[in-house]
Amino acid sequence: MAWVSLVVAGLLEIVWAIGLKYSHGFTRLGATIVTIVALVASFVLLGRAAKTLPIGTAYAVWVGIGAVGAAIGGMALLGERASVARIAFLSLIVAGIIGLKLTTHAE
């Protein structure tokens, strides 16, 4: 269950990271509310996952999911540049996340 919480926390990190852009510096109420709710929920789920998983693994996976998702979201939703190199380096982050999952045992 810790891994499920961690993955959902990472997905919510993507929501709040992209929400930061849509909130325009917290000047748009709807986007600001979504951003804050996603941020709080993401931290709560990360905290729950960290009860069982090593904190280094939990934090790295959480950040990795958020970073890859925010980068992909930026390219897909915000018109950010997509290049072969950028995709290749994002793939390395994904490989690291998978590697951490495969080598970590919950306590």
Side-chain angles (χ1 to χ4, degrees):
M1 195 62 175
W3 282 103
V4 172
S5 294
L6 185 58
V7 169
V8 173
L11 294 173
L12 287 168
E13 184 184 8
I14 297 166
V15 172
W16 69 257
I18 300 233
L20 288 173
K21 188 75 166 179
Y22 281 108
S23 76
H24 287 262
F26 299 111
T27 61
R28 293 186 175 166
L29 183 60
T32 296
I33 291 169
V34 169
T35 300
I36 291 170
V37 168
L39 186 139
V40 170
S42 180
F43 273 93
V44 167
L45 290 171
L46 173 62
R48 287 185 183 166
K51 285 182 179 179
T52 306
L53 299 172
I55 190 62
T57 298
Y59 185 73
V61 169
W62 179 72
V63 168
I65 292 170
V68 170
I72 291 170
M75 290 182 272
L77 302 172
L78 304 170
E80 295 177 4
R81 192 169 145 292
S83 67
V84 172
R86 193 168 189 202
I87 301 299
F89 289 119
L90 289 171
S91 297
L92 291 173
I93 296 171
V94 171
I97 293 168
I98 292 168
L100 286 170
K101 166 62 173 119
L102 295 174
T103 60
T104 300
H105 302 285
E107 296 174 0

